Amino acid sequence: MTINPSKSRGHSARVARARVGYLLEVPALLALGAIAIYPLLFNLWLSTRNDVLINPAATRGVGLGNYVTLIQSATFWHDLGRTLFFMVVSVTLEFLVGLGLALVVHREFKARGLVRASILIPWAIPTAVSALLWKMFFDLRSGFVDFALHSLHLPGSQLVWFNSPTLAWVPIIMSDMWKNTPFIALLLLAGLQTIPQELYESARIDGAGGFQAFWAITLPSLRPSIMVALIFRTLSALLVFDAVYVMTGGGPGRATEVVAYYNWSKFMVSLNFGYGATIAVSITLIALVLAGLYVRVLRAQGGLSA
Amino acid sequence: MSVSSYRTLGAIGAGLMLSVGLAGCGSAPSASGPQTVNLVFATQGLGTEAQATATAVKGFEKLHPHIHVTIQTMSASSNQAYQSLVTDLTSGSVTPDVITSDVIWPATFASAKWILPLNQFHPNLSAFFPGMVQASTYHGKLYAMPWFINVEGLYYRKDLVPTPPTTFSQLAADAKSVTASHSGMIGLAFEGAKYEGAVTVFQDVSGGFGGSFLNSSGQPVLNSPQNIAALTWLDNAIKSGIAPASVTGWQEGNVQKVFLSGQAVFGTNWPYLYPLAEQSGSNVIGKVGFVPTPISGSGTPTASLGGDVLVINKNTKYPKQSWELLQYLTSASTMTQRALISGDPPARTDAYTSTLLSKAPWFKQEETVYKYATPRPVTPLYPEISAKIQEALSATYSGQETPTKALNAAQTAVKAIIAKGG
């Protein structure tokens, strides 16, 4: 038997094409390596060192020493508790409001495109800017919140919101909701649009009411979108920093101090890069655990085919 | 992840820029004639301050034709400027060569070995305000040249309070009597937000009550009876209504606003406010006085020292030329020129010439406060110590802790910080 020359030529052409393919991937891989993988590994390495910039002579490896310090730090656990509180409250509220918004803009009405576009505006504004805006809104002398409460004879006027350990959370959560609810609404709207209209029609023929249809068709069909939205929001709520930094600086006292703020202060106030890296790695691990839990729930409910 | 990856990224970015930069100057003449040197001067300041810097740099370049200075403007926010400097300096970057530093940074920079000790250049410091020199000195070595001085003092309304109070009880009484007859006025406006500015106010009051943050051997004395009395006084000012509860969120800008609009009898702030009070747009032209904060019992008038100093990057390729720039910028004539353009108060006494005092008469009154300038603790641990004091002040003002409990907690925390870091 003779080797078919055209076949061998085809083979080498395929190899050449594959080589070009790999070559074209190189820049992307390098970029990914430089901005994601290298920092992650570097950070992991840094977390095993005593590296305080103001004391360069004491730089040395300490194994898991920083992690022991972290586990024994009451501040860290308090801050983590506050972060989880913020996460649960803000994500729940954002989800409920976002679902409502998605259902509304899913309907046919005049100027729907305009409304859809405009609910996205807050999402396009940088977090630090929206936090600054909300800080001003809640200012006793110049903010509209006090003015509105006063004019409507509602309780809460003449309050210095940021001077109360509990009320200081209200502006923080409000600004977070204002910015992130549109994101959830957008994801859920995309999910709503994939639900076949026939399902609703046959439900109606079977005599289901609006609420029943929502419960039996809309929600189950939306589950994958809901999960994606919740994972994204939960993880970014875990990392909440800008709003706290801009609005309260973790205050009053340390009533609104969250883990990302603790992390920042170890890096930039204490210049303790080793311990700072340890906190960062720990937050990453917590995020991974949370993401893993979500994925499990999603798989268990058949929302994710894996 | 967060900041450390930024740090790494910063290092990579700086490296890239550096290699591009080096490639650019690779063809500079090396053997024949004096080499033209390019210095990078990282500084803060916009508007008239930027104008003053540009004027000074032009004058310097005229005098030193072979040195070219590039001005790199840092963020106007002190925190952000600090963070970008930390990124540059940890990466070992050779630029910026000369850096404008807040008066509280040199100790940190020196202990991180990022800046040059300046004693090798034999600086003459006799004309400078002693507080500024003290803040520039760490472990017996000079690390910075004082550039302009800033002190936190008490602004008062000359038209409503003919003689400024010298004791804290008199201040409270004056504030009460004026606000009783002028409804809607604020007795005392001060910086009470959880940030560095609240610490400088507290330092003024603490010193007035005879307290301090650290004792002479560098150990914390935050919960001393004097400090507790000082914090109790500030807390009572809020609780009794002399200061509105909103001061718990106020920074310098908020105090400036209410004082310039004529709504406050007293306000704690820095010298920058004085020229603003005397120019159009102010409701208090000719009605303003500036004095050190009062005292109580055996306390001494204390004016928290702020201001800017100049430091040299340890990795600079041009230490000699950098020093020449420092010397030029901190000379009496350049400082006078800067004060005339931007109002920044010179850090040396001989820069207050008669020309300056006739054009900006308020400097005369400000000088009476400079006398009491007291630096914040000169230690690389200061940022951490300050964070603990900020927590204590904020926890007190918000009613979460009593002054005693809050300062006890700060004392314990700062003791641990110093034990670990010292």
Side-chain angles (χ1 to χ4, degrees):
Chain A
M1 245 200 164
T2 52
I3 296 161
N4 186 343
S6 74
K7 198 176 173 185
S8 123
R9 211 179 301 135
H11 176 71
S12 70
R14 222 173 19 247
V15 170
R17 235 198 346 260
R19 200 174 292 146
V20 172
Y22 287 130
L23 265 176
L24 289 175
E25 273 176 22
V26 166
L29 287 176
L30 279 180
L32 199 67
I35 65 173
I37 296 164
Y38 171 69
L40 200 68
L41 293 178
F42 179 79
N43 207 42
L44 211 59
W45 173 79
L46 194 60
S47 74
T48 64
R49 304 188 55 81
N50 181 53
D51 187 352
V52 185
L53 301 190
I54 56 167
N55 194 356
T59 304
R60 61 175 195 282
V62 289
L64 294 178
N66 286 332
Y67 289 90
V68 175
T69 314
L70 183 72
I71 286 170
Q72 290 169 349
S73 157
T75 309
F76 172 71
W77 293 109
H78 282 146
D79 290 356
L80 186 62
R82 288 188 204 104
T83 312
L84 295 178
F85 159 80
F86 168 81
M87 193 173 87
V88 170
V89 174
S90 67
V91 174
T92 307
L93 291 173
E94 281 159 22
F95 170 68
L96 292 175
V97 179
L99 180 62
L101 265 180
L103 289 171
V104 168
V105 295
H106 184 53
R107 298 187 157 257
E108 295 280 349
F109 59 90
K110 262 190 192 166
R112 184 172 72 164
L114 191 73
V115 173
R116 280 187 182 177
S118 59
I119 62 166
L120 270 177
I121 291 173
W123 186 57
I125 292 178
T127 316
V129 176
S130 79
L132 212 55
L133 279 175
W134 280 89
K135 189 181 179 180
M136 282 158 60
F137 292 165
F138 274 86
D139 183 86
L140 183 60
R141 296 170 70 88
S142 53
F144 83 83
V145 172
D146 193 77
F147 178 75
L149 291 174
H150 181 77
S151 321
L152 299 171
H153 301 286
L154 288 171
S157 78
Q158 290 304 305
L159 270 179
V160 184
W161 294 78
F162 295 106
N163 196 35
S164 154
T166 41
L167 293 179
W169 283 107
V170 175
I172 294 178
I173 290 172
M174 288 290 280
S175 88
D176 195 73
M177 280 182 70
W178 185 72
K179 182 177 159 66
N180 292 312
T181 305
F183 173 76
I184 294 195
L186 189 70
L187 282 180
L188 297 186
L189 179 63
L192 283 175
Q193 285 170 344
T194 62
I195 304 175
Q197 216 41 49
E198 295 82 45
L199 287 181
Y200 291 105
E201 276 160 26
S202 64
R204 214 167 24 246
I205 293 165
D206 291 344
F211 186 73
Q212 232 174 335
F214 172 76
W215 209 244
I217 301 169
T218 313
L219 263 192
S221 320
L222 263 188
R223 191 176 290 139
S225 312
I226 292 175
M227 279 298 165
V228 170
L230 288 184
I231 290 179
F232 269 106
R233 280 308 310 142
T234 306
L235 295 188
S236 68
L238 179 71
L239 300 176
V240 61
F241 173 74
D242 322 37
V244 170
Y245 179 79
V246 168
M247 295 174 108
T248 64
R254 42 188 345 150
T256 58
E257 193 176 289
V258 288
V259 271
Y261 190 89
Y262 181 54
N263 195 6
W264 168 82
S265 77
K266 285 300 159 189
F267 269 119
M268 295 317 297
V269 180
S270 312
L271 298 181
N272 191 338
F273 276 47
Y275 188 57
T278 307
I279 304 171
V281 169
S282 308
I283 297 177
T284 312
L285 289 178
I286 296 169
L288 281 177
V289 169
L290 282 175
L293 280 177
Y294 268 120
V295 171
R296 264 185 92 120
V297 172
L298 204 55
R299 276 210 185 123
Q301 302 189 344
L304 190 80
S305 46
Chain B
M1 274 205 13
S2 49
V3 182
S4 144
S5 39
Y6 292 138
R7 175 200 189 198
T8 315
L9 276 179
I12 293 169
L16 281 176
M17 276 190 269
L18 191 66
S19 47
V20 171
L22 285 178
C25 18
S27 56
S30 51
S32 62
Q35 204 174 321
T36 298
V37 158
N38 196 356
L39 290 181
V40 178
F41 174 32
T43 188
Q44 282 177 278
L46 306 164
T48 53
E49 281 195 312
Q51 198 191 323
T53 308
T55 312
V57 160
K58 241 181 234 148
F60 174 75
E61 285 176 337
K62 216 173 185 181
L63 213 64
H64 301 269
H66 298 293
I67 306 178
H68 175 74
V69 181
T70 309
I71 299 169
Q72 181 187 313
T73 306
M74 298 187 288
S75 167
S77 142
S78 180
N79 271 340
Q80 271 164 38
Y82 180 72
Q83 288 174 27
S84 76
L85 279 178
V86 167
T87 310
D88 277 354
L89 294 169
T90 24
S91 71
S93 167
V94 296
T95 57
D97 302 273
V98 176
I99 300 162
T100 304
S101 155
D102 190 298
V103 83
I104 56 175
W105 302 341
T108 304
F109 290 174
S111 64
K113 301 199 191 310
W114 289 335
I115 54 175
L116 277 186
L118 304 177
N119 303 71
Q120 52 181 312
F121 303 112
H122 308 291
N124 178 4
L125 297 165
S126 53
F128 290 88
F129 286 109
M132 291 297 287
V133 176
Q134 204 184 323
S136 306
T137 311
Y138 177 63
H139 277 335
K141 279 191 199 157
L142 186 80
Y143 280 94
M145 284 297 280
W147 196 19
F148 49 88
I149 187 172
N150 235 335
V151 283
E152 180 138 47
L154 184 71
Y155 284 91
Y156 71 101
R157 288 283 296 277
K158 281 196 288 198
D159 54 329
L160 302 173
V161 185
T163 30
T166 51
T167 66
F168 281 105
S169 40
Q170 197 190 327
L171 194 164
D174 287 346
K176 264 187 199 140
S177 74
V178 175
T179 48
S181 53
H182 296 74
S183 71
M185 265 194 105
I186 290 168
L188 170 66
F190 72 89
E191 294 82 1
K194 190 189 172 195
Y195 83 121
E196 184 62 32
V199 178
T200 56
V201 171
F202 179 59
Q203 192 192 8
D204 279 9
V205 179
S206 148
F209 274 86
S212 61
F213 295 167
L214 306 182
N215 64 17
S216 52
S217 51
Q219 288 308 305
V221 284
L222 290 170
N223 57 351
S224 67
Q226 294 89 336
N227 281 340
I228 292 171
L231 183 51
T232 307
W233 188 85
L234 280 167
D235 191 37
N236 280 343
I238 300 173
K239 303 223 156 45
S240 65
I242 292 174
S246 342
V247 297
T248 55
W250 281 5
Q251 305 194 357
E252 281 89 357
N254 307 87
V255 173
Q256 170 190 334
K257 217 160 114 189
V258 295
F259 195 80
L260 294 189
S261 66
Q263 295 173 68
V265 188
F266 295 105
T268 53
N269 218 322
W270 305 85
Y272 83 94
L273 189 65
Y274 218 133
L276 296 180
E278 299 296 344
Q279 74 191 26
S280 67
S282 156
N283 283 342
V284 290
I285 296 176
K287 300 175 180 169
V288 172
F290 186 53
V291 288
T293 37
I295 58 163
S296 172
S298 61
T300 41
T302 304
S304 186
L305 176 79
D308 279 5
V309 296
L310 297 167
V311 299
I312 300 178
N313 181 350
K314 186 154 200 178
N315 290 322
T316 176
K317 288 193 281 177
Y318 314 111
K320 206 177 126 276
Q321 288 87 344
S322 296
W323 169 250
E324 273 162 2
L325 178 61
L326 249 66
Q327 237 182 340
Y328 182 83
L329 291 174
T330 59
S331 67
S333 58
T334 316
M335 279 192 187
T336 311
Q337 180 195 53
R338 187 177 184 86
L340 285 169
I341 298 176
S342 72
D344 284 342
R348 52 192 297 164
T349 49
D350 54 354
Y352 293 87
T353 56
S354 51
T355 330
L356 178 59
L357 292 178
S358 70
K359 283 210 176 133
W362 50 83
F363 276 126
K364 217 174 264 171
Q365 201 168 357
E366 285 177 7
E367 269 193 285
T368 60
V369 184
Y370 301 151
K371 264 201 305 231
Y372 302 106
T374 312
R376 282 157 278 173
V378 184
T379 152
L381 300 170
Y382 178 72
E384 280 188 273
I385 297 172
S386 166
K388 292 298 162 196
I389 299 174
Q390 290 171 34
E391 270 172 36
L393 300 178
S394 170
T396 306
Y397 299 155
S398 58
Q400 298 176 78
E401 302 281 5
T402 62
T404 313
K405 267 187 153 173
L407 289 173
N408 281 343
Q411 170 75 6
T412 311
V414 170
K415 228 179 193 165
I417 289 167
I418 289 180
K420 200 173 56 170

